[in-house]
C-alpha cells in the first residue's frame, strides 16, 4: 500500500495495486464483513487462503473454519516492532502461521522491514505449495 491509500478499503486498494503491477491480471475484489456464518461460503472456491486480518478474533475464526480442510491457510501472528530475529513459521496440519508470536500491532508500531519479511515468508509458503503439488 501507499501512504495516500491509508484509510481506503483494503480489497479495492489491493486490486488496484495488483492491476498497476500487471494490467492483465484478473482480480475479484470483495468488500465483505466476514463472520462465522459466511466464512466457508466466501472461500468455497479458493484452494489457498492468505489471512490479512488486523484482529486476533478474526484470525482465530478463519483458522477454526478451515483447520483440517484441504485448503492451504497462511496467517501472520506478531508482525509489529523491529525485532526480526524471532520470526518463525509454525505449521498445524494445513495452517501455516508466520511471525514472532508476541508483538501485535497494538503492542508496537508496524515497520516495513518486518512486515515485508513476514509477507515474504508467507508468499514463499504459497508459491512452494502451488509449484510443488498444490493447485495453481
Amino acid at each position: 500500500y501507499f501512504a495516500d491509500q491509508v484509510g481506503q478499503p483494503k480489497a479495492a486498494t489491493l486490486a488496484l495495486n495488483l492491476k498497476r503491477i500487471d494490467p492483465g491480471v484478473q482480480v475479484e475484489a470483495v468488500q465483505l464483513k466476514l463472520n462465522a456464518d459466511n466464512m466457508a461460503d466466501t472461500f468455497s472456491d479458493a484452494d489457498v487462503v492468505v489471512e490479512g486480518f488486523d484482529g486476533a478474533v478474526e484470525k482465530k475464526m478463519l483458522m477454526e473454519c478451515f483447520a483440517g480442510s484441504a485448503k492451504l491457510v497462511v496467517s501472520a501472528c506478531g508482525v509489529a516492532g523491529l525485532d526480526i530475529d524471532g520470526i518463525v513459521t509454525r505449521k498445524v496440519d494445513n495452517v501455516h502461521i508466520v511471525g514472532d508470536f508476541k508483538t501485535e500491532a497494538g503492542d508496537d508500531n508496524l515497520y516495513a522491514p518486518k512486515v515485508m519479511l513476514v509477507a515474504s515468508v508467507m508468499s514463499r509458503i504459497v508459491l512452494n505449495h502451488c509449484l510443488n503439488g498444490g493447485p495453481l
Side-chain angles (χ1 to χ4, degrees):
Y1 298 105
F2 297 92
D4 64 338
Q5 295 173 324
V6 172
Q8 295 181 19
K10 286 183 182 180
T13 303
L14 179 58
L16 176 67
N17 290 346
L18 290 171
K19 289 180 181 187
R20 288 178 66 190
I21 294 167
D22 180 357
V25 71
Q26 293 181 357
V27 178
E28 179 185 352
V30 178
Q31 187 171 329
L32 171 71
K33 174 88 171 148
L34 290 168
N35 58 50
D37 295 329
N38 66 15
M39 182 84 61
D41 284 343
T42 300
F43 295 106
S44 63
D45 292 338
D47 297 315
V48 177
V49 178
V50 179
E51 174 272 314
F53 289 120
D54 294 329
V57 171
E58 292 83 3
K59 291 172 186 278
K60 181 179 182 284
M61 178 179 54
L62 181 122
M63 287 184 225
E64 288 175 346
C65 180
F66 296 114
S69 74
K71 297 180 186 308
L72 171 67
V73 178
V74 184
S75 181
C77 179
V79 298
L82 290 171
D83 180 24
I84 61 172
D85 293 334
I87 294 174
V88 296
T89 301
R90 294 183 183 165
K91 182 179 181 292
V92 180
D93 196 25
N94 61 308
V95 178
H96 298 249
I97 309 167
V98 181
D100 68 16
F101 292 84
K102 60 183 179 185
T103 315
E104 293 299 325
D107 301 331
D108 203 339
N109 292 321
L110 294 173
Y111 297 100
K114 187 172 184 182
V115 172
M116 290 175 61
L117 178 58
V118 170
S120 293
V121 173
M122 293 171 72
S123 297
R124 180 192 52 84
I125 292 166
V126 172
L127 288 170
N128 190 40
H129 174 78
C130 292
L131 297 174
N132 295 308
L136 290 175

